[in-house]
Amino acid sequence: MEGVVAAAAEFLQDAQAVEAALEVDRARAAHTGPLRFAFEGFRDGGDSLGRLVGRLRGPLWEERDGPDGEPSNVWGFQNEDERLFAERLATAARKHPDLELDDELRRYLQEGPGDSTAQRVQLLVAWGELVGGLDAQAPEGEPRLGVGPAASFLSFAWQCLTDGREPVLHFTASKAVRRVLETGGLGPEVRPSRELQPRIEGFYRVADAVARGTRGAPAGMAPGWAVEHALAWLLGRIERLVAAGDDAGLAELWRPRRPAPAPPASGA
């Protein structure tokens, strides 16, 4: 665990990576207020799920050019299943009014994210099981909501409602956590699981360690955003070591050590 903390802290020493992350965060910051307002209007104000979807449609699809010149989604949603989840959920709500999916989602927003990891895990597992049950009943050929996109969407809603405090369990973050566990980041006894609850528990165990390592993130990088940026940075580092067959480098990556101090804030 301490090795993950220290490895995440090294992200803050990569000035180029941090600046690229801050560019993304400046784009995110422009939407933070309207997105929080949209979710609050649904959670507390009685707005319909359809109205919420309309307010989310633009921000969820916004792209910007990355360091490599390729466009990337501002919120880190790397596939259409994640970006289309809200619209597909609204379609399911119209088709199955007896299920009261508006009220179900509203309840998960009212109860979460809570103050404990255990509560976050419990809510995400229950939400995933609800969505999985809907998919099991869907007709052949109809797009599935997906348990992964469901967790991504709910954790994104929590992030918006907490002004960026919560990390999003999107595809890239999930992949990063899986690679951390596969390469021994939490020790040889902790490995990835295909089961929903262990997957979500593993995400939060790694995310909590990364959050400790990124506490010195610069102003403008919200805590949840810092976790996502550091996980993406760690994923790239792990995959380079794996591609090179550098087992010694992987072992060194997770060696407990004192995290390097964060660089001083600009203008300090």
Side-chain angles (χ1 to χ4, degrees):
M1 183 70 77
E2 293 306 313
V4 176
V5 175
E10 291 175 7
F11 159 70
L12 299 180
Q13 301 304 305
D14 186 334
Q16 185 175 358
V18 168
E19 182 52 38
L22 285 170
E23 284 290 329
V24 172
D25 292 345
R26 283 188 276 271
R28 291 180 173 187
H31 295 294
T32 297
L35 283 169
R36 184 182 67 249
F37 182 78
F39 279 111
E40 287 176 343
F42 174 78
R43 182 193 65 186
D44 306 326
D47 285 353
S48 68
L49 183 55
R51 182 171 175 79
L52 173 64
V53 168
R55 289 178 168 180
L56 298 180
R57 189 172 287 115
L60 283 178
W61 288 84
E62 183 174 345
E63 293 186 335
R64 63 178 303 279
D65 288 339
D68 57 0
E70 292 295 321
S72 62
N73 184 267
V74 165
W75 300 99
F77 299 127
Q78 296 303 315
N79 59 64
E80 287 195 352
D81 289 335
E82 291 180 311
R83 297 190 288 270
L84 287 171
F85 178 84
E87 296 185 35
R88 289 172 177 172
L89 184 67
T91 299
R94 289 192 298 271
K95 289 183 176 179
H96 306 285
D98 55 309
L99 297 179
E100 299 181 332
L101 292 177
D102 289 49
D103 289 339
E104 285 290 334
L105 175 58
R106 194 171 284 114
R107 179 171 66 85
Y108 284 101
L109 298 184
Q110 291 168 343
E111 295 183 6
D115 296 323
S116 72
T117 295
Q119 183 173 353
R120 292 173 176 84
V121 171
Q122 181 182 32
L123 290 171
L124 281 168
V125 169
W127 175 242
E129 290 175 345
L130 171 65
V131 169
L134 286 171
D135 281 344
Q137 300 172 36
E140 186 72 25
E142 185 173 292
R144 298 301 190 257
L145 292 163
V147 172
S152 177
F153 178 75
L154 182 57
S155 56
F156 174 69
W158 291 345
Q159 182 178 90
C160 294
L161 288 167
T162 60
D163 291 327
R165 188 187 74 213
E166 295 292 313
V168 176
L169 209 168
H170 51 48
F171 177 81
T172 301
S174 298
K175 183 178 179 180
V177 168
R178 185 173 70 249
R179 296 300 268 162
V180 168
L181 298 182
E182 287 173 346
T183 57
L186 297 187
E189 71 283 358
V190 183
R191 286 292 182 267
S193 172
R194 292 182 178 273
E195 300 298 320
L196 180 60
Q197 181 160 335
R199 280 167 51 198
I200 295 174
E201 289 173 339
F203 170 77
Y204 278 110
R205 286 189 67 183
V206 173
D208 287 349
V210 172
R212 288 168 56 196
T214 54
R215 282 175 183 162
M221 188 181 294
W225 300 349
V227 170
E228 294 171 32
H229 295 318
L231 281 173
W233 183 85
L234 279 171
L235 175 61
R237 189 170 176 185
I238 292 167
E239 293 196 328
R240 287 191 296 273
L241 289 168
V242 169
D246 190 352
D247 293 339
L250 284 170
E252 178 66 19
L253 180 61
W254 307 131
R255 179 179 61 81
R257 56 205 182 276
R258 179 184 293 276
S266 59

